[in-house]
Amino acid sequence: MILAMKIHLLVSDGVFDLGLAALTDTLSLANALAVSLPQPPAPIDLALVGVRRHVRTAQGLTVPVVPAHRAPTPDVVFVPALGDKMPEPLAERLVRPDVADAAAILRQWSATGAHLGAACSGSFLLAESGLLNERRATTSWWLGPMFRQRYPRVKLDESRMLVNADGFTTAGAALAHVDLALSMVRASSPALAALVARYLLVEARGSQAEFIIPDHLAHADPVVERFEDWARRHLADGFSLSEAAKAAGTSERTLARRLHSVLGKTPLSYFQDLRVERAVQLLRTGSGSVDQVAAQVGYADGVTLRALLRRKLGRGVKDFREVESK
C-alpha cells in the first residue's frame, strides 16, 4: 500500500485567489493524471489549513479550512501569496496577529520534518518565521527591495523563478505557484510532472529576470532612482562610478551601499541590467543587426551582447527575434 503524501496549503485571510487556485488545480490535476502512469507515485492528500476559523480570499470568496491545530502532521506545506501586491499594504498585512500565528505553526511543522514552500508574497510570511535566515530564496521580482531590507539575513535572488534550499522551496511571482506545485510533483515522479506541465501548457522556466522592470525597482530609493536616470542616458557610454555618484548626488561608497541594500547589486551590475533591458527591447522591436544593437547599448560587438544575454537571461538573440515573428 502506497501512503499518500500529505500536502497542506496554509491559507491566510486575504489570500491571492490566482495563487491558491494555481496550487490546488495543479496538485489536483497531478492526482487525476497519476493513474495513467505505469508506476504512479503516491497520491496527494491535499488539505486547506488556516490559523483562523473563517478565511476569505482577496476577492471575497469563502475558503473552507481545517484549523491548523487539528490538522495531521504534513509532509509538505505550501504558503500561497497574499492578496496585497504592493509594499505598503503588504507591510501592514505582515504585522497582523494571524501572520504571527502562521509563522509559529510553520516553525512547528518544520521541526517535525515537513518541507516548506512559498510563492510570490507568500515568501514574506515564510520569512517572518525566521526559517529562511541564512538560506537562499526568491520572491516576486518587484518586491525584492522590500524583502531584502526586511529580511537581510535571507540570501535573496529575485531573478530566479524557483529556489531550492535544504527543506525549503520558494518561487517567484504569481504564476510561479504552478512551478512550486510542479517542483513537489517532480520530486516524487518526474514523468508525472512532465505530463502535468504538458496538460497545463507550462514550459520550463528557470528565471523571471526577463520580466523585471528595472526602473520600477529603482523607485524604492531616491538615490538609486537618480542613478538609474543617469544610467539610462549613458548606456552607450563607458561606465564611470565617479560620474554616476556625482549624478546621484552622493559618494561612490554610499551609492554602492544603497544599490546593494535595495537591489543586491553593484552599480556596474545594475548598469549592465539596464543595457540588457534596452537591448532586448531593440531586438524585439527593431530590425538592426546584433552588432548595431550592441553598439547602441555600449558594447563593442554582438559577441559580447550574445554572451551577456545568455548569462543574465538564459536566452539568445534568436529567441527574442522569434517571439516577435510568430
Side-chain angles (χ1 to χ4, degrees):
M1 179 180 179
I2 302 177
L3 296 178
M5 183 194 312
K6 294 183 177 64
I7 298 183
H8 290 358
L9 303 188
L10 183 58
V11 187
S12 298
D13 199 47
V15 67
F16 181 39
D17 295 65
L18 177 60
L20 178 60
L23 287 172
T24 56
D25 286 350
T26 302
L27 295 171
S28 297
L29 181 59
N31 260 347
L33 294 177
V35 296
S36 66
L37 296 178
Q39 295 181 317
I44 295 170
D45 182 2
L46 185 63
L48 304 185
V49 178
V51 295
R52 294 292 184 272
R53 293 177 59 187
H54 303 289
V55 174
R56 290 183 179 274
T57 70
Q59 298 301 321
L61 302 178
T62 300
V63 182
V65 295
V66 177
H69 66 277
R70 295 182 185 173
T73 301
D75 300 305
V76 178
V77 180
F78 287 147
V79 183
L82 300 167
D84 306 282
K85 302 172 184 66
M86 293 295 120
E88 186 173 338
L90 179 57
E92 295 174 359
R93 167 79 61 173
L94 291 172
V95 299
R96 289 179 19 167
D98 61 328
V99 171
D101 291 343
I105 196 66
L106 286 172
R107 288 191 293 270
Q108 179 181 320
W109 283 332
S110 179
T112 66
H115 186 99
L116 305 185
C120 198
S121 59
S123 60
F124 281 74
L125 199 154
L126 184 52
E128 286 289 319
S129 71
L131 293 168
L132 291 181
N133 288 347
E134 315 308 331
R135 289 185 168 89
R136 295 168 55 252
T138 188
T139 190
S140 304
W141 62 262
W142 67 89
L143 294 173
M146 176 188 177
F147 190 102
R148 188 170 283 106
Q149 292 172 359
R150 191 179 182 96
Y151 313 110
R153 293 178 61 188
V154 180
K155 301 173 183 177
L156 182 69
D157 183 358
E158 67 269 43
S159 69
R160 298 285 300 279
M161 188 70 75
L162 199 71
V163 170
N164 287 301
D166 184 24
F168 301 88
T169 302
T170 49
L175 291 178
H177 284 83
V178 175
D179 300 76
L180 178 63
L182 285 176
S183 72
M184 193 51 56
V185 176
R186 188 176 298 111
S188 61
S189 174
L192 179 57
L195 184 60
V196 173
R198 290 182 66 181
Y199 269 76
L200 294 177
L201 297 181
V202 177
E203 296 181 347
R205 46 194 183 180
S207 173
Q208 55 181 347
E210 181 188 344
F211 306 101
I212 293 175
I213 305 172
D215 60 349
H216 179 98
L217 299 179
H219 294 166
D221 182 278
V223 170
V224 177
E225 187 173 12
R226 290 194 294 270
F227 169 78
E228 184 263 349
D229 179 67
W230 171 86
R232 286 190 181 279
R233 290 183 284 105
H234 294 82
L235 293 180
D237 305 329
F239 176 76
S240 170
L241 181 59
S242 61
E243 290 183 17
K246 183 178 179 180
T250 188
S251 67
E252 295 180 16
R253 173 180 284 186
T254 298
L255 178 62
R257 186 171 63 246
R258 296 286 273 275
L259 261 293
H260 185 270
S261 173
V262 175
L263 304 177
K265 300 176 182 293
T266 66
L268 177 58
S269 177
Y270 187 52
F271 188 79
Q272 290 177 330
D273 286 350
L274 295 173
R275 280 177 161 174
V276 168
E277 180 199 42
R278 178 58 176 158
V280 169
Q281 180 185 25
L282 291 171
L283 289 169
R284 282 178 164 162
T285 60
S287 57
S289 68
V290 180
D291 284 339
Q292 289 172 327
V293 170
Q296 287 180 266
V297 295
Y299 292 112
D301 52 55
V303 174
T304 304
L305 177 59
R306 289 177 189 275
L308 199 60
L309 291 174
R310 283 291 181 191
R311 178 163 60 84
K312 286 191 170 288
L313 304 181
R315 302 177 67 183
V317 170
K318 187 178 179 181
D319 296 321
F320 301 111
R321 287 269 159 91
E322 285 186 341
V323 167
E324 296 304 312
S325 63
K326 289 179 180 178

